Each structure stands twice: as C-alpha cells, then as structure tokens.
Amino acid sequence: MSRLLKFNIFRYNPEDAQSEPHMQEFVLEETDAMTLFIALNRIREEQDPSLQFDFCCRAGICGSCGMVINGRPGLACHTKTKDLPGEITLLPLPVFKLVGDLSVDTGSWFREMYTKTESWIHTEKEFDPEALEERMDNKDAVSIYELERCVECGCCIAACGTARMRDDFLGAAALNRVARFLIDPRDQRSEKDYYEIIGNDMGIFGCMGLLACEDVCPKHLPLQNQLGFLRRKMGITSLKRLFGK
Amino acid sequence: MQTIYTDFLVVGAGLAGERAAVQAADAGFSVICLSLVPARRSHSSAAQGGMQASLGNSVMGEGDCPDVHFEDTVKGSDWGCDQEVARLFADTAPIEMRRLAHWGVPWNRVVPGKSIYYKGGKQFEKIEAQEKEGLIMARSFGGTAKWRTCYTSDGTGHAVMCTMDNRCAQMGVEVHDKTEAVALIQDGETCFGVVARCLRTGELRVYLSKATMIAAGGFGRIYPNTTNAVICDGGAHTMCVNTGVVPMGNMEAVQFHPTGIVPTDILVTEGCRGDGGTLLDVNEKRFMHEYEPEKAELASRDVVSRWMTHHMREGHGVKSPYGEHLWLDIRHLGEEHITGKLREVYEICTSFLGVDPIHQLIPVRPTQHYSMGGIRTNKDGAAYGLKGLFAAGEAACWDMHGFNRLGGNSLAETVVAGGIVGRKIAEYLEGCETEFKTSLINDEVKKQQARIDVLVSCANGSENVYKVRRVMQDALHKGANIFRNQEGLETCVAELQEALVRAGKVGLRSDGKGVNPELAVALKLEGQVKMALMVAYGALQRTESRGSHNREDYTARNDRDWLNRTLAYWKNEGDTLPTLEYEAATEVVEIPPGDRGYGKSEIISADTPKDAGKKGK
C-alpha cells in the first residue's frame, strides 16, 4: 500500500494584492521512485495550477530547485519522497528575494556576485588563433574543475549564519569562486588583488566557521577546506600589509 | 510598458547564445540575452560528455584532422547535412577549443606515459607522448574514427558554460533571466525585437534590437519522455512559426537515446552497454542478441532504440505507473567497476531512482534526446524569411547534423556556431540602420495582451492546458517515435489537428495573476502543437528512412527522391497543416552519398530508375 503524503507548502504571490503569506496543505498518493520534482508537478497539474516553483534540468546538474525541505536547504529534484516522513514541509530559500511560493531570485544575487568577485580570468595575454594552446598540468585542471562544480543553487547561502544576518556577506559560493581563480595559473591577479575583494568582514573574515555551507552543499564541494585556505592566505596578506611588505 | 533597446538581442543564454553575445560585444555592440533561467542553468550545462574537435593530441587521436572529423560528421548525418556548414564546423572547432582554454575552461590535459582504458568491457593500455604533455586531452565517443572529444571530467557543458558566462559578465553582456520572449516584433520582412513576459512580475516588456538571435535550445518537451530540461519546450521556436514566413528545417529529424531512466527520463550513459551491460525484458531475459546477433546491445543508438521499442510493442515491456519500460542490467560488472568507471550512473540511480545498480535492475526506455531540426538558417546563421533574425545551436537547423548527429558534435556546435554567427551578426550590425515603427510595436503588445486576457477570462473555452499538452505529447509518442509508418503518422496528424483545435479553446483554471506558471504553458501551447504537426506531417511525407527517421514502410534511404531538406511553414493563422517545401540537402558536395560503414545499407541511389526500389506501399 502506498502512503498518502501530506505536503505543507509556503504560498505567497507578491504580485497579488490579496495574497497573504500562508501554508497550504496538499495530499498526494506516493508512487514508486517519486521525487519532489514529480510530486510538485503533479500537485500543480492536478490540484493547483498557480503553484510556483523552479525546475530546469531535474537531474541535479543546474541548481534551479533549491528549497528548504523539512527544515534543510537542498535540491528538490534529487530528493526522493521515500527518504522523507509522510508529512513534508516546503519553504522557499531564505536570503534570496521571493518571486512567489517556492520560487526565489537567485539569478540577480549571483550576477552581482560575479561583479563583486570579478569572476573571470584576469590576463594581459591576447588569444592567438594560430598558436598551440598554452600547456597546463592536468592536476591543475582537475583542481580547478573540482571548485567549478558549484551549481549556484544558493543552498550554502541560505544555510549560512552570517548571510542570514548581513546582506553584504559574500558567502561560501563567492569565496569558493575566488579560490577557483586563485589556484588558476592563467589568472594574473596577485594575493593583494584578492585581498581587496575578500580581505574584510564582507568576505573571508565575516565567516563565523559554522560550516553549514558544507553540510548542505548538494555537490559536496570542499567548502570547509576552501574557507580555511582563503583565511590563511588572506591572514598572511593582511600581516604583510600591516608590516609594509 | 517598459521598452528596452539593444543593438543585439539574444533569446537564450546557453552556450550558443552567450558565445555569439561575446563576439558582438567584443566588436563594441550592446547585447542583452533573455533567458528563462539564470544563464548557467541553461541546458548546455547538462551535457556531460564533451566537444568534438580534431586537435589530435592524444595518442588515440593521432593522425586526426578536420578532414576526418568532417567525414565522420557527413556520414553521421546520413548525407542529410549541408556539407559546406559541416566543413566550416570541422575546420573551426580546434581553434574554438583553444580559445575556450584561453578564456578559462579547465580542459583535461594530456598526461604522458602509460595508462589503461576500457573497450567492450576489456582492458587495454595506451602510452601518451611526452611532447604532448599539458595539451588538451580527448576521449572516445560513438561514431568517430579517432579519440576527438575534448572534456572536463564529467561536466564539460557545465564548465564551458561557467567560463562563457564569466566572459559575458566581463564584457558587460546583460543577461535578463526569468524573462520569456513570447512574440517577435516583425512586419513580414524585418525582425525588430520581441515582446517578452517578465517571470518575476508577469508584466509584458518590449525589447527592440537591430539583430535578434534565437539560441534557446531544442524542443524535446513536445514529447512526453525526453532527456531535455524542462525549459526545452520550443517556446522560442513558436515565435518564429507564428510569423508564417520563417521556415523550420527537417523537423522530422528527431534523435532518441536508448537508455533514459524511468521515471524522470534522465540519461544514463552508453558506457553502461559499452562496458558489458545488458538489456532485459519483463521476464528478465536478454533480447537484443536475438534481433542483432552480432552486435547485440552494442549496435548504434538508433538501432538499439528501434529494437527496444519493437520488443515492448510485442508485449515484453515492464508495466509501471510511469508507462512501459525495459531493464538495464549492469549487476555483473561488479561493485568496483560500477562505483569507479560508472560512478555517474551509480549516482543517478541512487539519487533519482533509489535503485542500487550493484544489486538491482535499472528501469530504462528509449527517450527523445535531440532535435536536429529547427529554425532554418543559411551558413551565416541568418534565418530564412526575416531580415535581422538569426539562430544558432540546437534551436537552429544550420545544418551540420542532417538526420543524425554524433555525440560530442552538438556541444561543440554551440560554441563554434555561436562564434561564426556572432561574427556575421557583428558585420551585419556594422552597416545596419533600423527604423522602429511605434504602431507595429504597439500592435504586437496589444495582440499579446489580448491573448493573455482571453486565456485568463476563458473567453474561448476552458480546456485544461495540461490535458491538451498531454494529448499532443501522447500523439507524437505513439505516431512520430522511433518507428514510423503511414498509418501511425496519419493517426498522429489527425490527433494533433484535434489537439490544435482544443489548444485554441484553452482557459486558465487559476487567476493568471503575476508570474502564473499555467499562463506560461498556455501561451506557447498552440505554437507547440503546430511544431508537433511539422514533425508528424514532415515524417509522413518523407517516404524513406534516413538517419533517425525510420519508416517501416519505406526502409531504404532514397537519394533519388529525398536527398533534400524539409522546410515547414505555418503560412496562415487558420491553416490546419503546415506547408512543406523542399531544398537540396547541400549545394557543395565534397563527399557524394555512399555507405556509412555501420547500420543497415539499403540505399536507392540517385541513378536508380523511378519504378525500381519501391518497397512496402
């Protein structure tokens, strides 16, 4: 016998003057291999077509469907209902601006982050279409990719104590981004340049070390190590600056 | 009404769109990309395998060059491609891979010395050359003579997408995400931009531009089972279809992949079968070796998909709440292999199915995977029919894939075509002067607002949008799938015509306020059904089998009558069928039609007399 699942879903449509934030209950019969992707789409198609949520790849690759699932930020597409109790509470990710119901605006947040961290390779070199590519150690390539696996779902930001308290905190996703360029031999920025971006309370020194970011990261990025790595680097850079080196 | 001007407007912010955007921005033009989702969530990011380019750095790619790549591509297309375009692609791909490396893509690099690799479940050894150390590495892929696929671990699309979007941020290319273009602004001769709906507020907005490009990916979601992302619904195509003057090329050319998982249709790699996995039916018995005694599970994508479908039709499928399927069995490969070489498959099975493939069977079925067809463009990426309109990537029929595209060629196409077309657009913009007529703009906005009002007020009826969409998807699934025949296609066309009538009577059940998801679906449904009709009717008319288009009643490739490309128009609002025209598959012929060297080789050559070779009917 399959279970009857009870969903408590946050509802609010900011574009509707009559709408008030509230929780709404939906009941759905569980099917084999049901994920929250299947469940939410069924609720929308069969029960309430106005229900807002975001999915894109539905394969854990794109990071669209971050939401708070029974109190914990995660990707809805790879959450199986059979791993959850019969009562499931879904809330939108905090920190990000609410679009409606379970949908939030991660796009604007991350785009601003690219600008703040100057999330691109800084180099004086021009591309020469005639020349062979510049060589790179495969180990470096693999290390860069390891950090580039971030899907910008926003779970680490939503779970971050500092980000919840202050809007200007860069958060683990941004700090990880800086680390990605710091280890890239193609990027000619110096540690001093990076210090300008993250050597403050909005950056690496704002981190309280609670490390929920790593706990909730659906891609299992080594965020704790990266935060430690940056804190050491920037700490040393800070001392050098103090002593005029 | 907010009106935004930009020199160059791109609908879509995946790899093709952003690559073209970078090119135009580099030439000093203002660029805005519209996207349903933040750029990095575009479906380009889901492509894991890699990009084909004949760099020949790996010892397994020795002797590779654009000529070999070109030949593989033309054969793969079953001679349906435009050979001039395929040539342009093969020649440009290596330079583009190097450019991406310069911009920041962490391509895997050549590690000199001995290493092992697997083929058909067996272990082999290779030795990479010392002098190639640190150059861009390649991996093996189906349908290619050499190891030619550049990659970054198991996330090539994602990594390149990150770099491209970084480059856009650096160049000041604006990406307006959560924005859906709903109609082109055009006067039947020139395109002036789009009317878009903001998916943060639900408001309509006008974007005016000198050049507009559609780079919104494929349209797999008109089928019920597809590996495509939710956003690959053909919404941007429908804008072009609705103009009546822009044709869609080869819509009947649809690729199916044998192993999409059930439910959710996520792809599991061909590597499973390559390494010795088998397909089982409802009785947990193997069947592929009965149909293909030699190659069994290792026959090509289209062949395996065909037999799987046949076997399910014969009543050997496994029934499930999500429809029928078969089993993929990799249990005998053992834990070490499954959690090592097939880690990604292991993760998909455990994360999305709750199936442990070391001890359990994986439910799979052939699943729509790629749209070779799309907005027909010339080799510069300029769409037929409207000045100032361009297209690139999977959205376009540029046409390097013909009737079948090779793995790794589509992801490479996004950046190669994006670069080439972007350059042509910059040239176009250079000498372009445009006058915008306010009446034309206002009329289009009013028309779109009226459509919305009708849907919200149920003025035309109260058909359920999800139910009508389901009718369209099921009709295609039944009639325009892997196997096609006259009877099935005629039924499919009739069902779609009925769906078209019902799509015109859709009314919302919800209030339509703000970012209403029901409204978003309803706005594109009629256009989608028209596209589905282009697929089905084009397939019905094409009385041959070529690449992924397989007619049970016309089993031969017919180069005498069908060495051409279908151009499908929706000429008048009240039409119940698309208007089909045809053009030669290719003007330039470097490789005349011949045997592909794999698959069946039943060919009616161009010099076969008319009355010979008529099969079936």
Side-chain angles (χ1 to χ4, degrees), chain B residues 248-301:
Chain B
M248 300 290 124
N250 281 349
M251 291 292 274
E252 63 270 35
V254 180
Q255 189 176 71
F256 295 84
H257 197 287
T259 53
I261 61 168
V262 182
T264 62
D265 307 305
I266 299 165
L267 193 70
V268 294
T269 173
E270 271 166 2
C272 292
R273 282 170 295 124
D275 294 355
T278 55
L279 291 165
L280 307 180
D281 64 16
V282 66
N283 301 314
E284 302 194 10
K285 272 177 59 185
R286 275 186 78 196
F287 57 91
M288 272 307 298
H289 63 292
E290 286 169 19
Y291 298 118
E292 294 282 331
E294 253 179 62
K295 291 207 155 178
E297 279 87 353
L298 294 177
S300 62
R301 263 184 202 183

Short mmCIF file of all heavy atoms in Angstrom, two decimals, chain B residues 248-301:
data_model
loop_
_atom_site.label_atom_id
_atom_site.label_comp_id
_atom_site.label_asym_id
_atom_site.label_seq_id
_atom_site.Cartn_x
_atom_site.Cartn_y
_atom_site.Cartn_z
N MET B 248 10.82 26.11 -40.57
CA MET B 248 11.57 25.18 -39.73
C MET B 248 12.15 24.10 -40.65
O MET B 248 11.44 23.56 -41.51
CB MET B 248 10.64 24.51 -38.71
CG MET B 248 9.93 25.45 -37.76
SD MET B 248 11.04 26.20 -36.55
CE MET B 248 10.72 27.92 -36.88
N GLY B 249 13.42 23.79 -40.45
CA GLY B 249 14.08 22.79 -41.30
C GLY B 249 14.04 21.41 -40.66
O GLY B 249 14.24 21.29 -39.45
N ASN B 250 13.78 20.39 -41.45
CA ASN B 250 13.87 18.98 -41.03
C ASN B 250 13.31 18.68 -39.65
O ASN B 250 13.97 18.02 -38.83
CB ASN B 250 15.34 18.52 -41.06
CG ASN B 250 15.81 18.19 -42.46
OD1 ASN B 250 15.00 18.09 -43.39
ND2 ASN B 250 17.11 17.99 -42.62
N MET B 251 12.10 19.12 -39.40
CA MET B 251 11.52 18.89 -38.06
C MET B 251 11.33 17.41 -37.76
O MET B 251 11.24 17.00 -36.61
CB MET B 251 10.21 19.65 -37.93
CG MET B 251 10.39 21.15 -37.90
SD MET B 251 11.22 21.70 -36.41
CE MET B 251 9.82 21.86 -35.30
N GLU B 252 11.23 16.59 -38.82
CA GLU B 252 11.02 15.16 -38.60
C GLU B 252 12.28 14.44 -38.13
O GLU B 252 12.24 13.27 -37.75
CB GLU B 252 10.49 14.50 -39.88
CG GLU B 252 11.43 14.53 -41.09
CD GLU B 252 11.22 15.77 -41.98
OE1 GLU B 252 10.92 16.84 -41.43
OE2 GLU B 252 11.39 15.66 -43.20
N ALA B 253 13.43 15.14 -38.13
CA ALA B 253 14.69 14.51 -37.72
C ALA B 253 14.88 14.65 -36.21
O ALA B 253 15.34 15.67 -35.71
CB ALA B 253 15.85 15.14 -38.47
N VAL B 254 14.48 13.62 -35.48
CA VAL B 254 14.49 13.64 -34.02
C VAL B 254 15.32 12.46 -33.52
O VAL B 254 15.10 11.33 -33.96
CB VAL B 254 13.05 13.52 -33.46
CG1 VAL B 254 13.05 13.54 -31.95
CG2 VAL B 254 12.16 14.62 -34.01
N GLN B 255 16.26 12.72 -32.64
CA GLN B 255 17.10 11.63 -32.14
C GLN B 255 16.59 11.06 -30.81
O GLN B 255 16.21 11.82 -29.92
CB GLN B 255 18.54 12.10 -31.96
CG GLN B 255 19.50 10.95 -31.65
CD GLN B 255 20.95 11.42 -31.58
OE1 GLN B 255 21.35 12.11 -30.65
NE2 GLN B 255 21.75 11.03 -32.55
N PHE B 256 16.57 9.73 -30.71
CA PHE B 256 16.17 9.05 -29.48
C PHE B 256 17.37 8.32 -28.88
O PHE B 256 18.17 7.73 -29.61
CB PHE B 256 15.05 8.04 -29.76
CG PHE B 256 13.79 8.70 -30.23
CD1 PHE B 256 13.62 9.04 -31.57
CD2 PHE B 256 12.79 9.02 -29.33
CE1 PHE B 256 12.46 9.68 -32.00
CE2 PHE B 256 11.63 9.66 -29.75
CZ PHE B 256 11.47 9.98 -31.10
N HIS B 257 17.48 8.37 -27.58
CA HIS B 257 18.57 7.69 -26.88
C HIS B 257 18.02 6.44 -26.21
O HIS B 257 16.96 6.49 -25.60
CB HIS B 257 19.18 8.65 -25.85
CG HIS B 257 20.53 8.22 -25.39
ND1 HIS B 257 20.70 7.16 -24.54
CD2 HIS B 257 21.76 8.69 -25.67
CE1 HIS B 257 21.99 7.00 -24.32
NE2 HIS B 257 22.66 7.91 -24.99
N PRO B 258 18.74 5.31 -26.30
CA PRO B 258 18.17 4.05 -25.78
C PRO B 258 17.93 4.02 -24.27
O PRO B 258 17.00 3.35 -23.81
CB PRO B 258 19.23 3.00 -26.14
CG PRO B 258 20.08 3.62 -27.18
CD PRO B 258 20.02 5.10 -26.96
N THR B 259 18.76 4.72 -23.50
CA THR B 259 18.67 4.50 -22.05
C THR B 259 18.39 5.76 -21.24
O THR B 259 19.26 6.28 -20.55
CB THR B 259 19.94 3.81 -21.52
OG1 THR B 259 21.08 4.58 -21.95
CG2 THR B 259 20.08 2.40 -22.04
N GLY B 260 17.15 6.22 -21.32
CA GLY B 260 16.66 7.22 -20.38
C GLY B 260 16.06 6.45 -19.22
O GLY B 260 15.42 5.42 -19.43
N ILE B 261 16.25 6.91 -17.97
CA ILE B 261 15.70 6.17 -16.84
C ILE B 261 14.22 6.51 -16.65
O ILE B 261 13.75 7.55 -17.08
CB ILE B 261 16.48 6.43 -15.53
CG1 ILE B 261 16.43 7.91 -15.14
CG2 ILE B 261 17.90 5.91 -15.64
CD1 ILE B 261 16.92 8.19 -13.74
N VAL B 262 13.50 5.57 -16.01
CA VAL B 262 12.07 5.74 -15.77
C VAL B 262 11.82 5.75 -14.28
O VAL B 262 12.25 4.82 -13.59
CB VAL B 262 11.29 4.56 -16.40
CG1 VAL B 262 9.78 4.74 -16.21
CG2 VAL B 262 11.64 4.42 -17.87
N PRO B 263 11.14 6.72 -13.69
CA PRO B 263 10.66 7.93 -14.36
C PRO B 263 11.76 8.99 -14.50
O PRO B 263 12.91 8.67 -14.27
CB PRO B 263 9.59 8.42 -13.39
CG PRO B 263 10.08 7.99 -12.04
CD PRO B 263 10.81 6.71 -12.26
N THR B 264 11.39 10.17 -14.84
CA THR B 264 12.19 11.41 -14.97
C THR B 264 13.11 11.45 -16.20
O THR B 264 13.65 12.49 -16.52
CB THR B 264 13.02 11.78 -13.71
OG1 THR B 264 13.95 10.75 -13.45
CG2 THR B 264 12.15 12.02 -12.51
N ASP B 265 13.32 10.31 -16.90
CA ASP B 265 13.96 10.35 -18.22
C ASP B 265 15.37 10.93 -18.25
O ASP B 265 15.84 11.40 -19.28
CB ASP B 265 13.08 11.13 -19.22
CG ASP B 265 11.67 10.59 -19.26
OD1 ASP B 265 11.52 9.39 -19.50
OD2 ASP B 265 10.73 11.36 -19.02
N ILE B 266 16.05 10.89 -17.12
CA ILE B 266 17.44 11.33 -17.10
C ILE B 266 18.27 10.29 -17.85
O ILE B 266 18.00 9.09 -17.78
CB ILE B 266 17.95 11.49 -15.65
CG1 ILE B 266 17.10 12.54 -14.93
CG2 ILE B 266 19.42 11.87 -15.62
CD1 ILE B 266 17.27 12.51 -13.42
N LEU B 267 19.28 10.78 -18.56
CA LEU B 267 20.08 9.90 -19.39
C LEU B 267 21.09 9.12 -18.55
O LEU B 267 21.76 9.68 -17.69
CB LEU B 267 20.83 10.79 -20.37
CG LEU B 267 21.49 10.11 -21.54
CD1 LEU B 267 20.44 9.59 -22.48
CD2 LEU B 267 22.38 11.11 -22.27
N VAL B 268 21.21 7.81 -18.81
CA VAL B 268 22.41 7.10 -18.32
C VAL B 268 23.26 6.75 -19.54
O VAL B 268 22.75 6.42 -20.60
CB VAL B 268 22.11 5.85 -17.46
CG1 VAL B 268 21.44 6.23 -16.16
CG2 VAL B 268 21.30 4.82 -18.20
N THR B 269 24.54 6.87 -19.37
CA THR B 269 25.47 6.86 -20.50
C THR B 269 25.52 5.54 -21.25
O THR B 269 25.25 4.46 -20.70
CB THR B 269 26.89 7.24 -20.03
OG1 THR B 269 27.77 7.07 -21.13
CG2 THR B 269 27.35 6.35 -18.91
N GLU B 270 25.91 5.65 -22.51
CA GLU B 270 26.12 4.48 -23.34
C GLU B 270 27.22 3.59 -22.80
O GLU B 270 27.30 2.41 -23.13
CB GLU B 270 26.49 4.94 -24.75
CG GLU B 270 25.29 5.15 -25.62
CD GLU B 270 25.62 5.91 -26.89
OE1 GLU B 270 26.78 6.24 -27.13
OE2 GLU B 270 24.68 6.16 -27.62
N GLY B 271 28.07 4.17 -21.97
CA GLY B 271 29.17 3.42 -21.39
C GLY B 271 28.73 2.16 -20.66
O GLY B 271 29.44 1.17 -20.61
N CYS B 272 27.50 2.19 -20.14
CA CYS B 272 26.96 1.02 -19.44
C CYS B 272 26.95 -0.18 -20.37
O CYS B 272 27.36 -1.28 -20.00
CB CYS B 272 25.52 1.26 -19.01
SG CYS B 272 25.36 2.49 -17.75
N ARG B 273 26.47 0.03 -21.58
CA ARG B 273 26.41 -1.06 -22.53
C ARG B 273 27.79 -1.31 -23.12
O ARG B 273 28.18 -2.45 -23.35
CB ARG B 273 25.39 -0.75 -23.62
CG ARG B 273 23.96 -0.98 -23.15
CD ARG B 273 22.95 -0.45 -24.15
NE ARG B 273 23.03 0.99 -24.28
CZ ARG B 273 23.22 1.64 -25.42
NH1 ARG B 273 23.33 0.97 -26.54
NH2 ARG B 273 23.30 2.94 -25.43
N GLY B 274 28.54 -0.23 -23.33
CA GLY B 274 29.89 -0.35 -23.86
C GLY B 274 30.75 -1.25 -22.98
O GLY B 274 31.57 -2.02 -23.46
N ASP B 275 30.53 -1.18 -21.67
CA ASP B 275 31.33 -1.95 -20.73
C ASP B 275 30.74 -3.33 -20.44
O ASP B 275 31.25 -4.06 -19.59
CB ASP B 275 31.51 -1.18 -19.42
CG ASP B 275 32.33 0.08 -19.61
OD1 ASP B 275 32.82 0.30 -20.74
OD2 ASP B 275 32.48 0.86 -18.65
N GLY B 276 29.64 -3.67 -21.11
CA GLY B 276 29.12 -5.03 -20.95
C GLY B 276 27.75 -5.15 -20.32
O GLY B 276 27.31 -6.27 -20.02
N GLY B 277 27.06 -4.04 -20.09
CA GLY B 277 25.71 -4.10 -19.55
C GLY B 277 24.75 -4.69 -20.57
O GLY B 277 24.98 -4.64 -21.77
N THR B 278 23.66 -5.30 -20.08
CA THR B 278 22.70 -5.92 -21.00
C THR B 278 21.31 -5.36 -20.78
O THR B 278 21.02 -4.77 -19.74
CB THR B 278 22.64 -7.45 -20.77
OG1 THR B 278 22.35 -7.69 -19.40
CG2 THR B 278 23.95 -8.11 -21.14
N LEU B 279 20.45 -5.55 -21.79
CA LEU B 279 19.05 -5.12 -21.69
C LEU B 279 18.17 -6.35 -21.46
O LEU B 279 18.36 -7.37 -22.12
CB LEU B 279 18.64 -4.39 -22.97
CG LEU B 279 19.31 -3.04 -23.19
CD1 LEU B 279 19.14 -2.57 -24.63
CD2 LEU B 279 18.77 -1.99 -22.22
N LEU B 280 17.24 -6.24 -20.51
CA LEU B 280 16.35 -7.36 -20.17
C LEU B 280 14.89 -6.94 -20.32
O LEU B 280 14.57 -5.75 -20.21
CB LEU B 280 16.59 -7.81 -18.72
CG LEU B 280 18.02 -8.16 -18.30
CD1 LEU B 280 18.05 -8.58 -16.83
CD2 LEU B 280 18.62 -9.24 -19.18
N ASP B 281 14.01 -7.92 -20.56
CA ASP B 281 12.60 -7.60 -20.70
C ASP B 281 11.82 -7.95 -19.43
O ASP B 281 12.42 -8.23 -18.39
CB ASP B 281 12.00 -8.26 -21.96
CG ASP B 281 12.05 -9.78 -21.87
OD1 ASP B 281 12.25 -10.33 -20.77
OD2 ASP B 281 11.90 -10.41 -22.93
N VAL B 282 10.50 -8.00 -19.54
CA VAL B 282 9.65 -8.21 -18.37
C VAL B 282 9.96 -9.54 -17.67
O VAL B 282 9.84 -9.68 -16.45
CB VAL B 282 8.15 -8.11 -18.75
CG1 VAL B 282 7.73 -9.26 -19.69
CG2 VAL B 282 7.25 -8.07 -17.52
N ASN B 283 10.42 -10.53 -18.45
CA ASN B 283 10.78 -11.82 -17.86
C ASN B 283 12.25 -11.86 -17.43
O ASN B 283 12.79 -12.93 -17.14
CB ASN B 283 10.51 -12.94 -18.86
CG ASN B 283 9.05 -12.99 -19.26
OD1 ASN B 283 8.17 -12.91 -18.40
ND2 ASN B 283 8.77 -13.08 -20.55
N GLU B 284 12.89 -10.71 -17.42
CA GLU B 284 14.32 -10.57 -17.10
C GLU B 284 15.19 -11.43 -18.02
O GLU B 284 16.18 -12.02 -17.60
CB GLU B 284 14.57 -10.86 -15.62
CG GLU B 284 13.75 -9.92 -14.73
CD GLU B 284 14.16 -9.89 -13.27
OE1 GLU B 284 15.22 -10.47 -12.95
OE2 GLU B 284 13.44 -9.28 -12.47
N LYS B 285 14.76 -11.48 -19.29
CA LYS B 285 15.52 -12.22 -20.31
C LYS B 285 16.17 -11.24 -21.28
O LYS B 285 15.59 -10.19 -21.61
CB LYS B 285 14.58 -13.14 -21.11
CG LYS B 285 14.40 -14.51 -20.47
CD LYS B 285 13.40 -15.35 -21.26
CE LYS B 285 13.82 -15.55 -22.72
NZ LYS B 285 12.78 -16.28 -23.48
N ARG B 286 17.37 -11.55 -21.73
CA ARG B 286 18.01 -10.73 -22.77
C ARG B 286 17.26 -10.89 -24.08
O ARG B 286 16.66 -11.94 -24.34
CB ARG B 286 19.46 -11.18 -22.99
CG ARG B 286 20.45 -10.56 -22.04
CD ARG B 286 21.88 -10.96 -22.44
NE ARG B 286 22.35 -10.17 -23.58
CZ ARG B 286 23.41 -10.52 -24.32
NH1 ARG B 286 24.05 -11.63 -24.07
NH2 ARG B 286 23.79 -9.75 -25.31
N PHE B 287 17.26 -9.89 -24.92
CA PHE B 287 16.57 -9.99 -26.21
C PHE B 287 17.37 -9.38 -27.37
O PHE B 287 17.17 -9.74 -28.52
CB PHE B 287 15.20 -9.32 -26.13
CG PHE B 287 15.27 -7.86 -25.71
CD1 PHE B 287 15.38 -6.86 -26.65
CD2 PHE B 287 15.24 -7.52 -24.37
CE1 PHE B 287 15.46 -5.53 -26.26
CE2 PHE B 287 15.33 -6.19 -23.97
CZ PHE B 287 15.44 -5.19 -24.91
N MET B 288 18.28 -8.47 -27.09
CA MET B 288 18.97 -7.77 -28.19
C MET B 288 19.74 -8.73 -29.10
O MET B 288 19.81 -8.53 -30.31
CB MET B 288 19.91 -6.68 -27.64
CG MET B 288 19.28 -5.32 -27.42
SD MET B 288 18.40 -4.64 -28.85
CE MET B 288 19.72 -4.49 -30.05
N HIS B 289 20.31 -9.81 -28.51
CA HIS B 289 21.11 -10.73 -29.32
C HIS B 289 20.24 -11.50 -30.30
O HIS B 289 20.73 -12.03 -31.29
CB HIS B 289 21.89 -11.69 -28.42
CG HIS B 289 21.02 -12.57 -27.58
ND1 HIS B 289 20.24 -12.08 -26.56
CD2 HIS B 289 20.79 -13.90 -27.63
CE1 HIS B 289 19.57 -13.07 -25.99
NE2 HIS B 289 19.89 -14.19 -26.63
N GLU B 290 18.91 -11.56 -30.03
CA GLU B 290 18.03 -12.24 -30.97
C GLU B 290 17.78 -11.37 -32.20
O GLU B 290 17.63 -11.87 -33.31
CB GLU B 290 16.70 -12.58 -30.29
CG GLU B 290 16.84 -13.74 -29.33
CD GLU B 290 15.62 -13.93 -28.46
OE1 GLU B 290 14.54 -13.43 -28.82
OE2 GLU B 290 15.77 -14.56 -27.39
N TYR B 291 17.73 -10.05 -32.00
CA TYR B 291 17.49 -9.13 -33.11
C TYR B 291 18.78 -8.80 -33.87
O TYR B 291 18.78 -8.63 -35.08
CB TYR B 291 16.87 -7.84 -32.61
CG TYR B 291 15.52 -8.01 -31.96
CD1 TYR B 291 15.32 -7.69 -30.63
CD2 TYR B 291 14.44 -8.51 -32.69
CE1 TYR B 291 14.08 -7.84 -30.03
CE2 TYR B 291 13.18 -8.66 -32.10
CZ TYR B 291 13.01 -8.32 -30.76
OH TYR B 291 11.79 -8.47 -30.18
N GLU B 292 19.86 -8.63 -33.10
CA GLU B 292 21.15 -8.24 -33.69
C GLU B 292 22.19 -9.25 -33.21
O GLU B 292 22.94 -8.97 -32.26
CB GLU B 292 21.54 -6.82 -33.23
CG GLU B 292 20.64 -5.72 -33.74
CD GLU B 292 20.91 -5.35 -35.19
OE1 GLU B 292 22.06 -5.50 -35.65
OE2 GLU B 292 19.95 -4.93 -35.88
N PRO B 293 22.25 -10.42 -33.86
CA PRO B 293 23.12 -11.49 -33.36
C PRO B 293 24.57 -11.05 -33.19
O PRO B 293 25.24 -11.48 -32.26
CB PRO B 293 23.02 -12.56 -34.45
CG PRO B 293 21.75 -12.27 -35.18
CD PRO B 293 21.54 -10.79 -35.08
N GLU B 294 25.04 -10.18 -34.05
CA GLU B 294 26.45 -9.79 -33.97
C GLU B 294 26.74 -8.77 -32.88
O GLU B 294 27.52 -9.00 -31.98
CB GLU B 294 26.90 -9.23 -35.31
CG GLU B 294 27.82 -10.20 -36.06
CD GLU B 294 28.21 -9.63 -37.39
OE1 GLU B 294 28.86 -8.57 -37.38
OE2 GLU B 294 27.87 -10.24 -38.43
N LYS B 295 26.08 -7.62 -32.98
CA LYS B 295 26.41 -6.51 -32.08
C LYS B 295 25.59 -6.50 -30.79
O LYS B 295 25.99 -5.89 -29.81
CB LYS B 295 26.26 -5.18 -32.81
CG LYS B 295 27.31 -4.99 -33.89
CD LYS B 295 27.56 -3.52 -34.10
CE LYS B 295 28.94 -3.28 -34.66
NZ LYS B 295 29.21 -1.88 -34.92
N ALA B 296 24.42 -7.12 -30.81
CA ALA B 296 23.52 -7.16 -29.65
C ALA B 296 23.34 -5.77 -29.05
O ALA B 296 23.00 -4.83 -29.77
CB ALA B 296 24.03 -8.17 -28.64
N GLU B 297 23.62 -5.60 -27.74
CA GLU B 297 23.39 -4.32 -27.07
C GLU B 297 24.31 -3.21 -27.60
O GLU B 297 24.09 -2.03 -27.31
CB GLU B 297 23.62 -4.45 -25.56
CG GLU B 297 22.44 -5.03 -24.79
CD GLU B 297 22.48 -6.56 -24.77
OE1 GLU B 297 23.34 -7.17 -25.44
OE2 GLU B 297 21.62 -7.14 -24.07
N LEU B 298 25.34 -3.59 -28.34
CA LEU B 298 26.32 -2.59 -28.76
C LEU B 298 26.06 -2.00 -30.15
O LEU B 298 26.88 -1.26 -30.69
CB LEU B 298 27.73 -3.18 -28.73
CG LEU B 298 28.22 -3.54 -27.32
CD1 LEU B 298 29.58 -4.17 -27.37
CD2 LEU B 298 28.23 -2.32 -26.42
N ALA B 299 24.92 -2.32 -30.73
CA ALA B 299 24.56 -1.69 -32.00
C ALA B 299 24.38 -0.18 -31.77
O ALA B 299 24.34 0.27 -30.63
CB ALA B 299 23.29 -2.32 -32.55
N SER B 300 24.27 0.59 -32.87
CA SER B 300 24.21 2.05 -32.72
C SER B 300 22.93 2.48 -32.01
O SER B 300 21.96 1.74 -31.92
CB SER B 300 24.31 2.71 -34.09
OG SER B 300 23.21 2.31 -34.87
N ARG B 301 22.95 3.74 -31.50
CA ARG B 301 21.84 4.31 -30.75
C ARG B 301 20.49 4.08 -31.39
O ARG B 301 19.55 3.62 -30.75
CB ARG B 301 22.03 5.84 -30.68
CG ARG B 301 22.65 6.32 -29.42
CD ARG B 301 22.68 7.82 -29.43
NE ARG B 301 23.73 8.27 -28.51
CZ ARG B 301 23.99 9.53 -28.22
NH1 ARG B 301 23.32 10.49 -28.81
NH2 ARG B 301 24.95 9.84 -27.38
#
